[in-house]
């Protein structure tokens, strides 16, 4: 059974999560929206030429599988971004999906 949270309760829970080093409510919502965009885009990725969904650069090979497969989602990204994700994993400093170009801009074909 679920209940509706008041805005004050939600903010208090979000603040507590952030103090504990977790994502707050706004970050979590942005991540969910980013995942939704990435998943919808990934289904169409082979249908047309596209920029890298992570950085937005037009450097992708026209054959998606000749690019890097993201470590964060089942979507192809440019090779430079693939290397950056590997380095993020090595250092433990992952960038959130909400920072991807596809999550930041409205003009992506989804
Ligand atoms: Zn890229």
């Amino acid at each position: 059974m679920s209940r509706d949270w008041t805005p004050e309760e939600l903010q208090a829970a979000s603040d507590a999560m952030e103090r504990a080093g977790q994502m707050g409510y706004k970050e979590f919502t942005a991540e969910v929206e980013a995942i939704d965009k990435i998943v919808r885009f990934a289904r169409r990725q082979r249908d047309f030429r596209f920029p890298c969904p992570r950085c937005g650069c037009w450097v992708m090979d026209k054959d998606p599988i000749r690019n890097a497969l993201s470590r964060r989602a089942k979507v192809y990204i440019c090779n430079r971004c693939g290397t950056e994700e590997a380095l993020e994993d090595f250092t433990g400093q992952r960038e959130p999906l909400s920072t991807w170009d596809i999550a930041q801009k409205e003009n992506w074909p989804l």
Side-chain angles (χ1 to χ4, degrees), residues 15-27:
D15 292 346
M17 294 291 288
E18 289 178 5
R19 280 194 302 275
Q22 304 295 319
M23 275 190 251
Y25 176 72
K26 286 183 180 172
E27 283 177 279

Side-chain angles (χ1 to χ4, degrees), residues 2 12 14 16-17 20 22 24-25 28 31-32 38 45 61 69 72 74 80 84-85 90 93 101-102 104-106 108:
S2 66
S14 181
M17 294 291 288
Q22 304 295 319
Y25 176 72
F28 178 76
E31 283 298 284
V32 170
I38 292 167
Q45 192 166 32
D61 191 287
L69 184 60
R72 314 287 182 252
K74 289 184 179 177
R80 194 187 87 210
E84 286 182 10
E85 283 189 348
F90 181 73
Q93 302 285 321
D101 193 73
I102 193 170
Q104 295 285 319
K105 295 180 181 161
E106 297 297 323
W108 274 83

